[in-house]
Amino acid sequence: GAVVSQHPSWVICKSGTSVKIECRSLDFQATTMFWYRQFPKQSLMLMATSNEGSKATYEQGVEKDKFLINHASLTLSTLTVTSAHPEDSSFYICSASETGRGYSPLHFGNGTRLTVT
Amino acid sequence: EDQVTQSPEALRLQEGESSSLNCSYTVSGLRGLFWYRQDPGKGPEFLFTLYSAGEEKEKERLKATLTKKESFLHITAPKPEDSATYLCAVRLRYNFNKFYFGSGTKLNVKP
């Protein structure tokens, strides 16, 4: 149980275009989902906390206009990288914790490798 | 300040050579401590949850323990397939949407 599906697993796009990444909790509901970015050989860096039905909370230094987050339902959050540039190339990972289970862990998707050319 | 520190950063073991990974935490209140395994190019895979000091969890060659200040992930007779980065994270008691991650220990088990 507690499976998080992230799609696509990799994407290559041209500079200036936008890319959407989907994160779904398959067998549980998630009021809150989290988006992370991971640079090579580094740990997870929290970008934003996504809240179902309300605005996302962004970490300091993360541009909310570049990284648009929508949490449309209790099982789906999306991250859109707008006007992507090569410096946005990275590994993006989403995660979720089961709603109503305040002691449960985060469950992670398998990540999306974004390459901007 | 809430903080999670993992050591060592990297660990090389021979197959069969047991060892331990450390996760030290300083938080205002602990709701749960979690261990994950991350393979290159993949998202972290959940391993264990520990809630209170003295608790232990086991899974195959892995055993996680918890005290009031730290957690250990013991690896008994490791195999090359145990090579991965191991992450620990804490969930706060008073802000349950806050998770703090350590920087990870990269384990390399040589055959």
PDB file of all heavy atoms in Angstrom, chain A residues 32 34 36 38 43-44 91 93 97 101-106 108-110, chain B residues 31 34 36 38 41-44 46 49 51 87 91 97 99 101-103:
ATOM      1  N   THR A  32      -2.056  16.937   1.816  1.00  0.00           N
ATOM      2  CA  THR A  32      -0.803  17.662   1.647  1.00  0.00           C
ATOM      3  C   THR A  32       0.192  16.812   0.879  1.00  0.00           C
ATOM      4  O   THR A  32       0.360  15.630   1.175  1.00  0.00           O
ATOM      5  CB  THR A  32      -0.200  18.038   3.016  1.00  0.00           C
ATOM      6  OG1 THR A  32      -1.175  18.775   3.755  1.00  0.00           O
ATOM      7  CG2 THR A  32       1.044  18.880   2.859  1.00  0.00           C
ATOM      8  N   PHE A  34       4.259  17.136  -1.058  1.00  0.00           N
ATOM      9  CA  PHE A  34       5.499  17.893  -0.967  1.00  0.00           C
ATOM     10  C   PHE A  34       6.297  17.704  -2.252  1.00  0.00           C
ATOM     11  O   PHE A  34       6.384  16.597  -2.787  1.00  0.00           O
ATOM     12  CB  PHE A  34       6.333  17.426   0.231  1.00  0.00           C
ATOM     13  CG  PHE A  34       5.604  17.485   1.544  1.00  0.00           C
ATOM     14  CD1 PHE A  34       4.783  16.451   1.952  1.00  0.00           C
ATOM     15  CD2 PHE A  34       5.745  18.585   2.381  1.00  0.00           C
ATOM     16  CE1 PHE A  34       4.110  16.493   3.159  1.00  0.00           C
ATOM     17  CE2 PHE A  34       5.085  18.641   3.596  1.00  0.00           C
ATOM     18  CZ  PHE A  34       4.255  17.609   3.987  1.00  0.00           C
ATOM     19  N   TYR A  36      10.075  18.130  -3.935  1.00  0.00           N
ATOM     20  CA  TYR A  36      11.492  18.255  -3.628  1.00  0.00           C
ATOM     21  C   TYR A  36      12.292  18.349  -4.929  1.00  0.00           C
ATOM     22  O   TYR A  36      11.876  17.864  -5.978  1.00  0.00           O
ATOM     23  CB  TYR A  36      11.994  17.030  -2.847  1.00  0.00           C
ATOM     24  CG  TYR A  36      11.469  16.918  -1.437  1.00  0.00           C
ATOM     25  CD1 TYR A  36      10.242  16.295  -1.173  1.00  0.00           C
ATOM     26  CD2 TYR A  36      12.194  17.413  -0.356  1.00  0.00           C
ATOM     27  CE1 TYR A  36       9.763  16.183   0.127  1.00  0.00           C
ATOM     28  CE2 TYR A  36      11.726  17.300   0.947  1.00  0.00           C
ATOM     29  CZ  TYR A  36      10.503  16.689   1.160  1.00  0.00           C
ATOM     30  OH  TYR A  36      10.029  16.578   2.450  1.00  0.00           O
ATOM     31  N   GLN A  38      16.377  17.580  -6.162  1.00  0.00           N
ATOM     32  CA  GLN A  38      17.593  16.933  -5.705  1.00  0.00           C
ATOM     33  C   GLN A  38      18.687  17.121  -6.742  1.00  0.00           C
ATOM     34  O   GLN A  38      18.537  16.711  -7.902  1.00  0.00           O
ATOM     35  CB  GLN A  38      17.358  15.439  -5.442  1.00  0.00           C
ATOM     36  CG  GLN A  38      18.512  14.759  -4.736  1.00  0.00           C
ATOM     37  CD  GLN A  38      18.171  13.342  -4.303  1.00  0.00           C
ATOM     38  OE1 GLN A  38      17.476  12.618  -5.006  1.00  0.00           O
ATOM     39  NE2 GLN A  38      18.654  12.936  -3.140  1.00  0.00           N
ATOM     40  N   SER A  43      21.310  15.879  -0.890  1.00  0.00           N
ATOM     41  CA  SER A  43      20.075  15.399  -0.293  1.00  0.00           C
ATOM     42  C   SER A  43      18.882  16.151  -0.876  1.00  0.00           C
ATOM     43  O   SER A  43      19.011  16.996  -1.759  1.00  0.00           O
ATOM     44  CB  SER A  43      20.136  15.557   1.223  1.00  0.00           C
ATOM     45  OG  SER A  43      19.049  14.887   1.819  1.00  0.00           O
ATOM     46  N   LEU A  44      17.728  15.828  -0.349  1.00  0.00           N
ATOM     47  CA  LEU A  44      16.491  16.424  -0.836  1.00  0.00           C
ATOM     48  C   LEU A  44      16.374  17.875  -0.393  1.00  0.00           C
ATOM     49  O   LEU A  44      16.649  18.212   0.753  1.00  0.00           O
ATOM     50  CB  LEU A  44      15.300  15.636  -0.273  1.00  0.00           C
ATOM     51  CG  LEU A  44      15.296  14.147  -0.576  1.00  0.00           C
ATOM     52  CD1 LEU A  44      14.263  13.449   0.296  1.00  0.00           C
ATOM     53  CD2 LEU A  44      14.996  13.907  -2.044  1.00  0.00           C
ATOM     54  N   PHE A  91      16.491  16.806 -10.776  1.00  0.00           N
ATOM     55  CA  PHE A  91      15.655  15.656 -10.433  1.00  0.00           C
ATOM     56  C   PHE A  91      14.593  16.153  -9.468  1.00  0.00           C
ATOM     57  O   PHE A  91      14.905  16.662  -8.392  1.00  0.00           O
ATOM     58  CB  PHE A  91      16.542  14.578  -9.798  1.00  0.00           C
ATOM     59  CG  PHE A  91      15.879  13.244  -9.629  1.00  0.00           C
ATOM     60  CD1 PHE A  91      15.282  12.605 -10.699  1.00  0.00           C
ATOM     61  CD2 PHE A  91      15.883  12.600  -8.397  1.00  0.00           C
ATOM     62  CE1 PHE A  91      14.690  11.356 -10.553  1.00  0.00           C
ATOM     63  CE2 PHE A  91      15.296  11.354  -8.241  1.00  0.00           C
ATOM     64  CZ  PHE A  91      14.692  10.728  -9.317  1.00  0.00           C
ATOM     65  N   ILE A  93      11.186  15.357  -7.188  1.00  0.00           N
ATOM     66  CA  ILE A  93      10.517  14.230  -6.537  1.00  0.00           C
ATOM     67  C   ILE A  93       9.335  14.738  -5.728  1.00  0.00           C
ATOM     68  O   ILE A  93       9.469  15.730  -5.007  1.00  0.00           O
ATOM     69  CB  ILE A  93      11.457  13.476  -5.568  1.00  0.00           C
ATOM     70  CG1 ILE A  93      12.825  13.217  -6.208  1.00  0.00           C
ATOM     71  CG2 ILE A  93      10.832  12.152  -5.133  1.00  0.00           C
ATOM     72  CD1 ILE A  93      13.825  12.587  -5.244  1.00  0.00           C
ATOM     73  N   SER A  97       1.831  12.172   2.407  1.00  0.00           N
ATOM     74  CA  SER A  97       1.542  11.448   3.634  1.00  0.00           C
ATOM     75  C   SER A  97       0.042  11.275   3.727  1.00  0.00           C
ATOM     76  O   SER A  97      -0.715  12.160   3.319  1.00  0.00           O
ATOM     77  CB  SER A  97       2.071  12.236   4.834  1.00  0.00           C
ATOM     78  OG  SER A  97       1.819  11.557   6.031  1.00  0.00           O
ATOM     79  N   ARG A 101      -3.586  10.632   9.133  1.00  0.00           N
ATOM     80  CA  ARG A 101      -2.652   9.737   9.843  1.00  0.00           C
ATOM     81  C   ARG A 101      -1.406  10.553  10.158  1.00  0.00           C
ATOM     82  O   ARG A 101      -0.406  10.495   9.437  1.00  0.00           O
ATOM     83  CB  ARG A 101      -2.324   8.523   8.982  1.00  0.00           C
ATOM     84  CG  ARG A 101      -3.545   7.661   8.693  1.00  0.00           C
ATOM     85  CD  ARG A 101      -3.155   6.324   8.121  1.00  0.00           C
ATOM     86  NE  ARG A 101      -2.358   5.564   9.082  1.00  0.00           N
ATOM     87  CZ  ARG A 101      -1.689   4.456   8.803  1.00  0.00           C
ATOM     88  NH1 ARG A 101      -1.705   3.981   7.573  1.00  0.00           N
ATOM     89  NH2 ARG A 101      -0.977   3.822   9.713  1.00  0.00           N
ATOM     90  N   GLY A 102      -1.495  11.291  11.217  1.00  0.00           N
ATOM     91  CA  GLY A 102      -0.435  12.242  11.545  1.00  0.00           C
ATOM     92  C   GLY A 102       0.883  11.620  11.947  1.00  0.00           C
ATOM     93  O   GLY A 102       1.862  12.323  12.127  1.00  0.00           O
ATOM     94  N   TYR A 103       0.916  10.295  12.094  1.00  0.00           N
ATOM     95  CA  TYR A 103       2.164   9.641  12.475  1.00  0.00           C
ATOM     96  C   TYR A 103       2.763   8.848  11.313  1.00  0.00           C
ATOM     97  O   TYR A 103       3.744   8.142  11.480  1.00  0.00           O
ATOM     98  CB  TYR A 103       1.926   8.696  13.665  1.00  0.00           C
ATOM     99  CG  TYR A 103       1.619   9.455  14.932  1.00  0.00           C
ATOM    100  CD1 TYR A 103       0.334   9.893  15.207  1.00  0.00           C
ATOM    101  CD2 TYR A 103       2.623   9.745  15.840  1.00  0.00           C
ATOM    102  CE1 TYR A 103       0.062  10.606  16.358  1.00  0.00           C
ATOM    103  CE2 TYR A 103       2.359  10.447  16.999  1.00  0.00           C
ATOM    104  CZ  TYR A 103       1.078  10.879  17.257  1.00  0.00           C
ATOM    105  OH  TYR A 103       0.802  11.577  18.407  1.00  0.00           O
ATOM    106  N   SER A 104       2.175   8.975  10.154  1.00  0.00           N
ATOM    107  CA  SER A 104       2.646   8.161   9.032  1.00  0.00           C
ATOM    108  C   SER A 104       3.815   8.827   8.324  1.00  0.00           C
ATOM    109  O   SER A 104       3.997  10.045   8.411  1.00  0.00           O
ATOM    110  CB  SER A 104       1.503   7.904   8.049  1.00  0.00           C
ATOM    111  OG  SER A 104       1.088   9.115   7.460  1.00  0.00           O
ATOM    112  N   PRO A 105       4.618   8.050   7.629  1.00  0.00           N
ATOM    113  CA  PRO A 105       5.782   8.608   6.922  1.00  0.00           C
ATOM    114  C   PRO A 105       5.365   9.259   5.617  1.00  0.00           C
ATOM    115  O   PRO A 105       4.218   9.171   5.180  1.00  0.00           O
ATOM    116  CB  PRO A 105       6.635   7.369   6.647  1.00  0.00           C
ATOM    117  CG  PRO A 105       5.625   6.274   6.494  1.00  0.00           C
ATOM    118  CD  PRO A 105       4.526   6.605   7.470  1.00  0.00           C
ATOM    119  N   LEU A 106       6.322   9.908   4.982  1.00  0.00           N
ATOM    120  CA  LEU A 106       6.153  10.369   3.610  1.00  0.00           C
ATOM    121  C   LEU A 106       6.406   9.192   2.674  1.00  0.00           C
ATOM    122  O   LEU A 106       7.303   8.385   2.902  1.00  0.00           O
ATOM    123  CB  LEU A 106       7.151  11.477   3.285  1.00  0.00           C
ATOM    124  CG  LEU A 106       6.877  12.866   3.834  1.00  0.00           C
ATOM    125  CD1 LEU A 106       7.997  13.809   3.442  1.00  0.00           C
ATOM    126  CD2 LEU A 106       5.540  13.380   3.367  1.00  0.00           C
ATOM    127  N   PHE A 108       7.191   8.439  -1.367  1.00  0.00           N
ATOM    128  CA  PHE A 108       7.750   9.190  -2.487  1.00  0.00           C
ATOM    129  C   PHE A 108       7.407   8.580  -3.834  1.00  0.00           C
ATOM    130  O   PHE A 108       7.294   7.351  -3.971  1.00  0.00           O
ATOM    131  CB  PHE A 108       9.275   9.248  -2.359  1.00  0.00           C
ATOM    132  CG  PHE A 108       9.760  10.159  -1.276  1.00  0.00           C
ATOM    133  CD1 PHE A 108       9.867   9.710   0.024  1.00  0.00           C
ATOM    134  CD2 PHE A 108      10.102  11.475  -1.562  1.00  0.00           C
ATOM    135  CE1 PHE A 108      10.316  10.558   1.041  1.00  0.00           C
ATOM    136  CE2 PHE A 108      10.548  12.321  -0.567  1.00  0.00           C
ATOM    137  CZ  PHE A 108      10.647  11.861   0.733  1.00  0.00           C
ATOM    138  N   GLY A 109       7.287   9.470  -4.818  1.00  0.00           N
ATOM    139  CA  GLY A 109       7.256   9.021  -6.199  1.00  0.00           C
ATOM    140  C   GLY A 109       8.655   8.667  -6.643  1.00  0.00           C
ATOM    141  O   GLY A 109       9.630   8.850  -5.887  1.00  0.00           O
ATOM    142  N   ASN A 110       8.773   8.165  -7.865  1.00  0.00           N
ATOM    143  CA  ASN A 110      10.077   7.753  -8.357  1.00  0.00           C
ATOM    144  C   ASN A 110      10.867   8.862  -9.023  1.00  0.00           C
ATOM    145  O   ASN A 110      11.944   8.611  -9.567  1.00  0.00           O
ATOM    146  CB  ASN A 110       9.937   6.568  -9.304  1.00  0.00           C
ATOM    147  CG  ASN A 110      10.375   5.277  -8.625  1.00  0.00           C
ATOM    148  OD1 ASN A 110      11.134   5.304  -7.661  1.00  0.00           O
ATOM    149  ND2 ASN A 110       9.890   4.171  -9.111  1.00  0.00           N
TER     150      ASN A 110
ATOM    151  N   ARG B  31       7.437  13.328  16.467  1.00  0.00           N
ATOM    152  CA  ARG B  31       6.216  12.584  16.173  1.00  0.00           C
ATOM    153  C   ARG B  31       6.575  11.202  15.606  1.00  0.00           C
ATOM    154  O   ARG B  31       5.867  10.242  15.844  1.00  0.00           O
ATOM    155  CB  ARG B  31       5.366  13.354  15.171  1.00  0.00           C
ATOM    156  CG  ARG B  31       4.026  12.748  14.841  1.00  0.00           C
ATOM    157  CD  ARG B  31       3.237  13.673  13.947  1.00  0.00           C
ATOM    158  NE  ARG B  31       2.674  14.783  14.700  1.00  0.00           N
ATOM    159  CZ  ARG B  31       1.412  14.850  15.117  1.00  0.00           C
ATOM    160  NH1 ARG B  31       0.588  13.863  14.849  1.00  0.00           N
ATOM    161  NH2 ARG B  31       0.972  15.885  15.767  1.00  0.00           N
ATOM    162  N   PHE B  34      11.866   8.295  10.570  1.00  0.00           N
ATOM    163  CA  PHE B  34      11.703   7.390   9.438  1.00  0.00           C
ATOM    164  C   PHE B  34      13.047   7.145   8.758  1.00  0.00           C
ATOM    165  O   PHE B  34      13.853   8.053   8.632  1.00  0.00           O
ATOM    166  CB  PHE B  34      10.734   7.984   8.414  1.00  0.00           C
ATOM    167  CG  PHE B  34       9.478   8.531   9.034  1.00  0.00           C
ATOM    168  CD1 PHE B  34       9.288   9.889   9.170  1.00  0.00           C
ATOM    169  CD2 PHE B  34       8.489   7.674   9.502  1.00  0.00           C
ATOM    170  CE1 PHE B  34       8.147  10.399   9.753  1.00  0.00           C
ATOM    171  CE2 PHE B  34       7.344   8.179  10.084  1.00  0.00           C
ATOM    172  CZ  PHE B  34       7.173   9.543  10.215  1.00  0.00           C
ATOM    173  N   TYR B  36      14.795   5.701   5.142  1.00  0.00           N
ATOM    174  CA  TYR B  36      14.533   5.462   3.732  1.00  0.00           C
ATOM    175  C   TYR B  36      15.808   4.946   3.064  1.00  0.00           C
ATOM    176  O   TYR B  36      16.921   5.254   3.495  1.00  0.00           O
ATOM    177  CB  TYR B  36      14.126   6.747   3.007  1.00  0.00           C
ATOM    178  CG  TYR B  36      12.817   7.339   3.454  1.00  0.00           C
ATOM    179  CD1 TYR B  36      12.755   8.194   4.549  1.00  0.00           C
ATOM    180  CD2 TYR B  36      11.638   7.055   2.767  1.00  0.00           C
ATOM    181  CE1 TYR B  36      11.550   8.750   4.953  1.00  0.00           C
ATOM    182  CE2 TYR B  36      10.427   7.610   3.154  1.00  0.00           C
ATOM    183  CZ  TYR B  36      10.400   8.455   4.250  1.00  0.00           C
ATOM    184  OH  TYR B  36       9.201   9.001   4.636  1.00  0.00           O
ATOM    185  N   GLN B  38      17.534   5.106  -0.809  1.00  0.00           N
ATOM    186  CA  GLN B  38      17.399   5.719  -2.115  1.00  0.00           C
ATOM    187  C   GLN B  38      18.460   5.167  -3.057  1.00  0.00           C
ATOM    188  O   GLN B  38      19.662   5.271  -2.777  1.00  0.00           O
ATOM    189  CB  GLN B  38      17.502   7.250  -2.051  1.00  0.00           C
ATOM    190  CG  GLN B  38      17.216   7.908  -3.389  1.00  0.00           C
ATOM    191  CD  GLN B  38      17.222   9.415  -3.355  1.00  0.00           C
ATOM    192  OE1 GLN B  38      17.812  10.029  -2.468  1.00  0.00           O
ATOM    193  NE2 GLN B  38      16.545  10.036  -4.322  1.00  0.00           N
ATOM    194  N   GLY B  41      18.836   7.734  -9.137  1.00  0.00           N
ATOM    195  CA  GLY B  41      17.798   7.976 -10.131  1.00  0.00           C
ATOM    196  C   GLY B  41      16.403   7.545  -9.710  1.00  0.00           C
ATOM    197  O   GLY B  41      15.489   7.502 -10.544  1.00  0.00           O
ATOM    198  N   LYS B  42      16.243   7.236  -8.423  1.00  0.00           N
ATOM    199  CA  LYS B  42      14.923   6.820  -7.928  1.00  0.00           C
ATOM    200  C   LYS B  42      14.520   7.669  -6.729  1.00  0.00           C
ATOM    201  O   LYS B  42      15.348   8.324  -6.106  1.00  0.00           O
ATOM    202  CB  LYS B  42      14.975   5.345  -7.476  1.00  0.00           C
ATOM    203  CG  LYS B  42      15.304   4.359  -8.579  1.00  0.00           C
ATOM    204  CD  LYS B  42      14.116   4.119  -9.455  1.00  0.00           C
ATOM    205  CE  LYS B  42      14.373   3.097 -10.558  1.00  0.00           C
ATOM    206  NZ  LYS B  42      14.476   1.733 -10.046  1.00  0.00           N
ATOM    207  N   GLY B  43      13.221   7.629  -6.418  1.00  0.00           N
ATOM    208  CA  GLY B  43      12.763   8.296  -5.212  1.00  0.00           C
ATOM    209  C   GLY B  43      13.073   7.452  -3.990  1.00  0.00           C
ATOM    210  O   GLY B  43      13.282   6.240  -4.095  1.00  0.00           O
ATOM    211  N   PRO B  44      13.132   8.056  -2.818  1.00  0.00           N
ATOM    212  CA  PRO B  44      13.395   7.288  -1.598  1.00  0.00           C
ATOM    213  C   PRO B  44      12.316   6.243  -1.345  1.00  0.00           C
ATOM    214  O   PRO B  44      11.131   6.504  -1.542  1.00  0.00           O
ATOM    215  CB  PRO B  44      13.387   8.355  -0.504  1.00  0.00           C
ATOM    216  CG  PRO B  44      13.727   9.632  -1.210  1.00  0.00           C
ATOM    217  CD  PRO B  44      13.082   9.495  -2.549  1.00  0.00           C
ATOM    218  N   PHE B  46      10.565   3.862   1.461  1.00  0.00           N
ATOM    219  CA  PHE B  46      10.351   3.803   2.899  1.00  0.00           C
ATOM    220  C   PHE B  46      10.788   2.457   3.471  1.00  0.00           C
ATOM    221  O   PHE B  46      10.480   1.404   2.915  1.00  0.00           O
ATOM    222  CB  PHE B  46       8.868   4.055   3.200  1.00  0.00           C
ATOM    223  CG  PHE B  46       8.465   3.767   4.617  1.00  0.00           C
ATOM    224  CD1 PHE B  46       8.922   4.563   5.649  1.00  0.00           C
ATOM    225  CD2 PHE B  46       7.642   2.691   4.915  1.00  0.00           C
ATOM    226  CE1 PHE B  46       8.563   4.302   6.961  1.00  0.00           C
ATOM    227  CE2 PHE B  46       7.275   2.420   6.220  1.00  0.00           C
ATOM    228  CZ  PHE B  46       7.733   3.228   7.239  1.00  0.00           C
ATOM    229  N   THR B  49       9.496   3.028  10.437  1.00  0.00           N
ATOM    230  CA  THR B  49       9.044   4.123  11.285  1.00  0.00           C
ATOM    231  C   THR B  49       9.350   3.757  12.732  1.00  0.00           C
ATOM    232  O   THR B  49       9.080   2.625  13.160  1.00  0.00           O
ATOM    233  CB  THR B  49       7.528   4.348  11.169  1.00  0.00           C
ATOM    234  OG1 THR B  49       7.195   4.626   9.819  1.00  0.00           O
ATOM    235  CG2 THR B  49       7.111   5.516  12.040  1.00  0.00           C
ATOM    236  N   TYR B  51       8.763   5.401  16.716  1.00  0.00           N
ATOM    237  CA  TYR B  51       7.988   6.441  17.383  1.00  0.00           C
ATOM    238  C   TYR B  51       8.527   6.835  18.747  1.00  0.00           C
ATOM    239  O   TYR B  51       8.376   7.991  19.159  1.00  0.00           O
ATOM    240  CB  TYR B  51       6.531   5.996  17.546  1.00  0.00           C
ATOM    241  CG  TYR B  51       5.788   5.836  16.246  1.00  0.00           C
ATOM    242  CD1 TYR B  51       5.342   4.580  15.829  1.00  0.00           C
ATOM    243  CD2 TYR B  51       5.534   6.929  15.433  1.00  0.00           C
ATOM    244  CE1 TYR B  51       4.647   4.436  14.635  1.00  0.00           C
ATOM    245  CE2 TYR B  51       4.838   6.799  14.238  1.00  0.00           C
ATOM    246  CZ  TYR B  51       4.400   5.542  13.845  1.00  0.00           C
ATOM    247  OH  TYR B  51       3.723   5.402  12.658  1.00  0.00           O
ATOM    248  N   LEU B  87      18.612   7.496   4.040  1.00  0.00           N
ATOM    249  CA  LEU B  87      18.179   8.781   4.575  1.00  0.00           C
ATOM    250  C   LEU B  87      17.342   8.570   5.824  1.00  0.00           C
ATOM    251  O   LEU B  87      16.558   7.619   5.887  1.00  0.00           O
ATOM    252  CB  LEU B  87      17.313   9.517   3.550  1.00  0.00           C
ATOM    253  CG  LEU B  87      17.960   9.919   2.223  1.00  0.00           C
ATOM    254  CD1 LEU B  87      16.893  10.320   1.222  1.00  0.00           C
ATOM    255  CD2 LEU B  87      18.924  11.052   2.434  1.00  0.00           C
ATOM    256  N   ARG B  91       9.537  13.678  11.777  1.00  0.00           N
ATOM    257  CA  ARG B  91       8.286  14.425  11.652  1.00  0.00           C
ATOM    258  C   ARG B  91       8.032  15.063  12.993  1.00  0.00           C
ATOM    259  O   ARG B  91       8.112  14.391  14.035  1.00  0.00           O
ATOM    260  CB  ARG B  91       7.143  13.499  11.262  1.00  0.00           C
ATOM    261  CG  ARG B  91       5.854  14.212  10.914  1.00  0.00           C
ATOM    262  CD  ARG B  91       4.824  13.253  10.337  1.00  0.00           C
ATOM    263  NE  ARG B  91       3.725  13.996   9.736  1.00  0.00           N
ATOM    264  CZ  ARG B  91       2.685  13.421   9.102  1.00  0.00           C
ATOM    265  NH1 ARG B  91       2.624  12.108   8.991  1.00  0.00           N
ATOM    266  NH2 ARG B  91       1.749  14.166   8.580  1.00  0.00           N
ATOM    267  N   ASN B  97       3.133  18.766   9.518  1.00  0.00           N
ATOM    268  CA  ASN B  97       3.471  18.880   8.106  1.00  0.00           C
ATOM    269  C   ASN B  97       4.936  19.231   7.887  1.00  0.00           C
ATOM    270  O   ASN B  97       5.338  19.553   6.773  1.00  0.00           O
ATOM    271  CB  ASN B  97       2.587  19.919   7.416  1.00  0.00           C
ATOM    272  CG  ASN B  97       1.285  19.300   6.932  1.00  0.00           C
ATOM    273  OD1 ASN B  97       1.199  18.087   6.741  1.00  0.00           O
ATOM    274  ND2 ASN B  97       0.281  20.126   6.761  1.00  0.00           N
ATOM    275  N   PHE B  99       8.722  17.898   7.943  1.00  0.00           N
ATOM    276  CA  PHE B  99       9.621  16.760   7.940  1.00  0.00           C
ATOM    277  C   PHE B  99      11.038  17.297   7.735  1.00  0.00           C
ATOM    278  O   PHE B  99      11.275  18.079   6.825  1.00  0.00           O
ATOM    279  CB  PHE B  99       9.304  15.798   6.783  1.00  0.00           C
ATOM    280  CG  PHE B  99       7.991  15.078   6.924  1.00  0.00           C
ATOM    281  CD1 PHE B  99       6.802  15.694   6.587  1.00  0.00           C
ATOM    282  CD2 PHE B  99       7.958  13.766   7.383  1.00  0.00           C
ATOM    283  CE1 PHE B  99       5.594  15.017   6.702  1.00  0.00           C
ATOM    284  CE2 PHE B  99       6.758  13.086   7.494  1.00  0.00           C
ATOM    285  CZ  PHE B  99       5.571  13.712   7.145  1.00  0.00           C
ATOM    286  N   PHE B 101      14.936  16.220   6.928  1.00  0.00           N
ATOM    287  CA  PHE B 101      15.748  15.126   6.420  1.00  0.00           C
ATOM    288  C   PHE B 101      17.221  15.334   6.743  1.00  0.00           C
ATOM    289  O   PHE B 101      17.724  16.463   6.706  1.00  0.00           O
ATOM    290  CB  PHE B 101      15.603  15.014   4.898  1.00  0.00           C
ATOM    291  CG  PHE B 101      14.354  14.296   4.470  1.00  0.00           C
ATOM    292  CD1 PHE B 101      13.149  14.967   4.384  1.00  0.00           C
ATOM    293  CD2 PHE B 101      14.388  12.946   4.181  1.00  0.00           C
ATOM    294  CE1 PHE B 101      11.986  14.307   4.006  1.00  0.00           C
ATOM    295  CE2 PHE B 101      13.246  12.263   3.799  1.00  0.00           C
ATOM    296  CZ  PHE B 101      12.039  12.948   3.714  1.00  0.00           C
ATOM    297  N   GLY B 102      17.911  14.232   7.021  1.00  0.00           N
ATOM    298  CA  GLY B 102      19.357  14.272   7.085  1.00  0.00           C
ATOM    299  C   GLY B 102      19.912  14.283   5.671  1.00  0.00           C
ATOM    300  O   GLY B 102      19.184  14.105   4.692  1.00  0.00           O
ATOM    301  N   SER B 103      21.214  14.461   5.568  1.00  0.00           N
ATOM    302  CA  SER B 103      21.848  14.544   4.251  1.00  0.00           C
ATOM    303  C   SER B 103      22.189  13.174   3.679  1.00  0.00           C
ATOM    304  O   SER B 103      22.630  13.068   2.534  1.00  0.00           O
ATOM    305  CB  SER B 103      23.106  15.409   4.327  1.00  0.00           C
ATOM    306  OG  SER B 103      23.949  14.934   5.350  1.00  0.00           O
TER     307      SER B 103
END
